[in-house]
């Protein structure tokens, strides 16, 4: 039986990657995947743009697993390339109000229409609830379009503050401040990509003047040590 590390390699991922956010066990009774509990150990391996849930036994022997996409641009592209209508898998648009507001805005004031977003994260008093696109994973390099489904992941919040922070970063989309952290400390994305992202969100009104100012101030301080950029949210 292959290890889940080999499965990660199929997706060109490794727990040694700079973009790794979390690599930890979650007790089977602390997580629900589409309303089901997995038998065996459950490993959460989260990266900047995706996270994996791996069911395994001793010596990391892979039993089954899934990948959940966090980047909405990747989700839209995946749905398009697979020719899958999100409504057919009950994947809801989470920014419909923003899209309707954009439709009422003169095109002279907007560079492009607001694209639909499908990734959703809710922090409940006891749980994190994530809804997004995903599919089962294995040692295969290609997967049929029918494997794409909507997943709802419910994770009980850890009582350990350090673990709680790691899990949250692993299963959420990165905010503008997180992207700054990724660009400067990890080198995951370039400053040009981050600037484009920031300007795009600022243009449609989802980024503030303060965020723009903080980013520009940060770029001017790249060579200074101990830059405090993380925005710790419980």
């Amino acid at each position: 039986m292959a290890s889940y590390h080999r499965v990660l390699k199929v997706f060109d991922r490794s727990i040694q990657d700079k973009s790794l956010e979390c690599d930890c066990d979650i007790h089977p009774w602390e997580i629900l995947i589409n309303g089901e509990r997995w038998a065996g150990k459950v490993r959460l391996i989260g990266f900047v743009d995706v996270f994996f849930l791996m069911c395994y036994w001793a010596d990391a022997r892979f039993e089954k697993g899934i990948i959940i996409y966090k980047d909405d641009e990747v989700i839209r592209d995946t749905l398009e390339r697979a020719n899958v209508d999100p409504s057919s898998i009950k994947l809801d648009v989470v920014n419909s109000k923003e899209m309707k507001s954009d439709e009422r805005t003169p095109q002279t004031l907007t560079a492009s229409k607001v694209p639909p977003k499908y990734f959703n994260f809710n922090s409940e008093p006891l749980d994190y609830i994530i809804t997004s696109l995903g599919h089962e994973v294995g040692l295969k390099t290609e997967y049929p379009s029918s494997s794409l489904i909507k997943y709802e992941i419910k994770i009980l919040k850890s009582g350990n503050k350090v673990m709680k922070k790691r899990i949250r970063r692993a299963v959420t989309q990165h905010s503008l401040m997180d992207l700054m952290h990724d660009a400067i400390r990890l080198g995951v994305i370039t400053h040009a990509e981050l600037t484009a992202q920031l300007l795009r969100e600022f243009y449609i009104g989802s980024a503030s003047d303060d965020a723009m100012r903080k980013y520009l101030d940060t770029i001017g301080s790249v060579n200074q040590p101990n830059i405090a950029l993380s925005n710790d949210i419980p």
Side-chain angles (χ1 to χ4, degrees), residues 102-103 107 110-115 204:
D102 180 71
E103 290 175 357
Q107 288 299 311
T110 56
S112 61
K113 288 188 176 181
V114 175
I204 63 175

Side-chain angles (χ1 to χ4, degrees), residues 55-140:
C55 181
Y56 73 100
W57 301 99
D59 301 322
R61 287 187 297 122
F62 177 75
E63 178 68 20
K64 62 181 178 180
I66 60 174
I67 181 174
I68 302 296
Y69 296 100
K70 299 194 294 180
D71 188 317
D72 275 297
E73 186 173 347
V74 173
I75 293 173
R76 290 190 296 270
D77 181 64
T78 301
L79 290 169
E80 183 178 354
R81 288 188 293 108
N83 195 26
V84 173
D85 183 346
S87 62
S88 69
I89 57 175
K90 299 181 180 180
L91 187 63
D92 298 326
V93 174
V94 299
N95 65 331
S96 55
K97 290 184 179 179
E98 184 181 340
M99 293 176 67
K100 289 180 180 178
S101 176
D102 180 71
E103 290 175 357
R104 295 193 295 268
T105 304
Q107 288 299 311
T108 55
L109 300 179
T110 56
S112 61
K113 288 188 176 181
V114 175
K117 295 182 179 180
Y118 301 99
F119 179 88
N120 192 43
F121 171 84
N122 283 320
S123 180
E124 301 291 339
L126 297 178
D127 307 291
Y128 292 136
I129 302 176
I130 306 98
T131 304
S132 189
L133 181 71
H135 61 81
E136 293 185 355
V137 296
L139 294 177
K140 298 184 297 182

